Amino acid sequence: QTACANSTEPYEIPLTAQNASSAFQWTLSGGGTIQTGQGTNFITIDWGVSGGSYTLEVIESNGGCSSALVRFEKEERTLLCK
């Protein structure tokens, strides 16, 4: 996946009837900053100016129950635009 320096990209877990009232705990490592949406099914990430690899993970919780960890594939992020 590629992204431009200082770009903001969306990431989403689709809502269903079963998870409409769930909370989502997102974790990002390797660079970037979660800008908006922490706790919801939809976040935006500001990638800043540094390239490299990252891992994005999310755990869904609802009524005291939590899902298994969902890990987005570890991807190489190359910042191409200036």
Side-chain angles (χ1 to χ4, degrees):
Q1 176 179 344
T2 59
C4 293
N6 294 315
S7 69
T8 301
E9 303 291 331
Y11 294 83
E12 178 178 22
I13 300 292
L15 284 180
T16 65
Q18 290 78 25
N19 70 5
S21 62
S22 294
F24 297 83
Q25 180 62 44
W26 298 85
T27 306
L28 176 63
S29 61
T33 303
I34 297 173
Q35 289 294 108
T36 62
Q38 183 62 270
T40 73
N41 70 304
F42 182 88
I43 62 169
T44 57
I45 296 175
D46 179 348
W47 287 115
V49 296
S50 299
S53 296
Y54 69 93
T55 303
L56 178 61
E57 299 173 333
V58 63
I59 295 177
E60 174 188 354
S61 60
N62 188 331
C65 297
S66 294
S67 71
L69 178 72
V70 175
R71 176 176 281 172
F72 289 73
E73 290 293 319
K74 190 170 184 183
E75 303 177 30
E76 183 68 21
R77 179 177 46 85
T78 306
L79 299 177
L80 298 175
C81 309
K82 294 184 180 183

